[in-house]
Amino acid sequence: MPIATVNPATGELVTSYDPFGQDRIERLLAEADTAFRTYRTTPFSRRAEWLLRAADLLDEDRDTIARTMTVEMGKPVTAARAEAAKCAKAMRWYARNAERLLADEHPDPDDVHDSGASRALVRYRPLGVVLAVMPWNFPLWQVVRFAAPALMAGNVGLLKHASNVPQTALYLEDLFLRAGFPEGCFRTLLIGSGAVEAVLRDPRVAAATLTGSEPAGRSVASIAGDEVKKTVLELGGSDPYLVLPSADVAKAAATAVTARVQNNGQSCIAAKRFIVHADVYDAFAERFTAGMRELNVGDPLQEATDVGPLSSEQGRADLEELVDDAVRRGAAVLCGGGRPGSLGGGLENGWFYDPTVLAGITPDMRVHREETFGPVATLYRVADLDEAIRVANDTPFGLSSNAWTRDPAEKERCARDLEAGGVFFNGMTASHPALPFGGVKRSGYGRELAGHGIREFCNATTLWYGPEE
Ligand code: NAP
């Protein structure tokens, strides 16, 4: 099957590529293996120089690559530009901090002595070739947040990107090459998901990271488990957004709109379930619904567009099924609930869906347990914080969470009890290079970003020197 870009705003084929054959995959695996042998010994200063150059090139290319992303997967072009800028920032952060984050660790001298050594330390060494299986929703960012730390640690990367974003995937390979990284340090494999297993089982591949859906994660993790190879999994999310009586409700509602519809609603860390205390429920629901209704749905290449199309026809069909199921089981549609009327301008065949708010959610509805990957919000009315936390945790996912309250005791309670990889107070979840990112439960395991992320693909090597030294 060809690897094709179809513009989700128009349904038109933009470009397509033949997937790489066995010979080419073999060549790239051999090249990556060879590259690692020398690249692993390059000093941090050299790697940083190349990564800083990549950041500068990305800044120069921002408008063009943003347009490419928008045409490939439909995110508003304003958001695509912001994504490119964020990637450059993360590259600079890792270029400046990697050496410090991977500095040798020296245990307590008493413990060193107790181990029988004259000295002992921990040194972080790279693992080797890391296979990155990545999704289309943040086609630059998902890759860069893996590649920047991995390359700074001395690993080399093989990217299997989502099949609908091949141009962005090839751009990334070209970017790292132009920046000066040696041949083979970062390569794109244009392959379908069926070809991942053979690459992952190849002895030259040391580890894998996957960002994507739960089925994809399960498959990659079980193959890697069979091969006893390290994996990091960043999977789905259905993040709760708690609004408690002491919150600034107007601000919480305005932020909730952005938190839900960012990236056309297709973000793993988008807030998806809005769990609101009865005392402020009506005020929040009214403002939030009004905000969702006012969003500008349309051509993602237009600067004024807030919400573009979903990335695929199947993605929209899946979302429609979830909404239909909820409505059939008694959910109230406060706004949206279907496709927008004719948008004109060649967008008739685009995969658009109206920003939607559903209320009266009950546990038997699929939206209660499944991820809504599109601009659909679910609203819950709860009596107190205990119930809010119970509803928040009643999900297979545990990526991030949000809580709006001014009460320090309530914040402590949320920090202790929300089952997620992060709790964001009085704001929305967002990733930052200096803060670890990842989930618990079915949202995956391992962490990206910060020191935690760069150490995931390192061998924490114990160096022990006997007493005679
Ligand atoms: P997906 O179908 O799982 O695709 C993600 C990547 O995995 C693609 O490169 C895909 O390749 C590949 N893939 C799919 N099935 C595979 C298999 N059985 N074996 C090996 N590789 C496989 O995910 P999606 O639906 O496009 O992306 C949305 C999902 O990603 C959502 O659940 C979202 O929450 C999650 N996500 C999570 C994070 C996070 O950080 N936690 C961030 C972004 C997105 P093909 O394109 O060739 O099928």
Side-chain angles (χ1 to χ4, degrees), residues 133-138 142 145 160-164 191-194 196-197 210-217 219-220 223 233-237 266-269 272 371 373 399 437 443 448:
V133 182
M134 290 290 146
W136 45 265
N137 61 343
F138 292 92
Q142 304 291 359
R145 78 177 183 186
K160 181 273 179 271
H161 215 327
S163 292
N164 56 336
I191 54 175
S193 56
V196 167
E197 175 165 359
L210 178 136
T211 300
S213 61
E214 200 184 316
S219 166
V220 163
I223 295 162
L233 297 184
E234 299 285 3
L235 308 179
Q266 303 162 122
S267 168
C268 52
I269 48 162
K272 292 172 185 140
E371 183 181 23
F373 219 52
L399 194 50
F437 181 97
S443 291
E448 294 194 283

Side-chain angles (χ1 to χ4, degrees), residues 184-411:
C185 278
F186 184 92
R187 283 292 198 189
T188 285
L189 300 174
L190 287 186
I191 54 175
S193 56
V196 167
E197 175 165 359
V199 175
L200 184 50
R201 288 197 187 276
D202 191 286
R204 290 164 293 190
V205 170
T209 178
L210 178 136
T211 300
S213 61
E214 200 184 316
R218 193 179 301 116
S219 166
V220 163
S222 57
I223 295 162
D226 194 39
E227 295 289 340
V228 197
K229 291 183 183 178
K230 170 80 186 269
T231 47
V232 167
L233 297 184
E234 299 285 3
L235 308 179
S238 187
D239 290 0
Y241 189 99
L242 275 56
V243 185
L244 298 165
S246 65
D248 177 337
V249 173
K251 213 163 161 196
T255 306
V257 173
T258 312
R260 177 56 286 216
V261 303
Q262 55 175 318
N263 212 40
N264 305 340
Q266 303 162 122
S267 168
C268 52
I269 48 162
K272 292 172 185 140
R273 296 175 298 129
F274 298 82
I275 301 163
V276 187
H277 193 286
D279 290 358
V280 288
Y281 180 90
D282 290 339
F284 177 86
E286 190 187 319
R287 287 182 159 94
F288 178 52
T289 306
M292 291 286 276
R293 217 180 259 125
E294 278 162 19
L295 292 165
N296 188 3
V297 179
D299 184 352
L301 285 170
Q302 296 297 322
E303 301 290 320
T305 295
D306 300 309
V307 182
L310 297 186
S311 74
S312 69
E313 196 165 15
Q314 186 59 49
R316 182 173 65 176
D318 292 345
L319 193 67
E320 285 174 334
E321 267 187 36
L322 286 179
V323 173
D324 290 350
D325 170 80
V327 171
R328 230 183 4 259
R329 293 173 196 272
V333 181
L334 303 190
C335 72
R339 303 177 184 185
S342 173
L343 293 167
L347 305 177
E348 299 74 21
N349 296 322
W351 304 312
F352 294 90
Y353 196 81
D354 263 339
T356 296
V357 179
L358 300 176
I361 305 303
T362 49
D364 60 322
M365 296 174 186
R366 287 179 59 199
V367 288
H368 180 71
R369 305 195 68 74
E370 296 180 35
E371 183 181 23
T372 48
F373 219 52
V376 174
T378 52
L379 268 181
Y380 296 78
R381 184 198 294 264
V382 291
D384 53 27
L385 181 56
D386 285 343
E387 189 183 356
I389 288 176
R390 214 167 38 245
V391 173
N393 290 341
D394 187 23
T395 172
F397 300 108
L399 194 50
S400 187
S401 61
N402 309 261
W404 286 74
T405 170
R406 292 182 172 118
D407 180 334
E410 286 182 346
K411 285 183 193 159

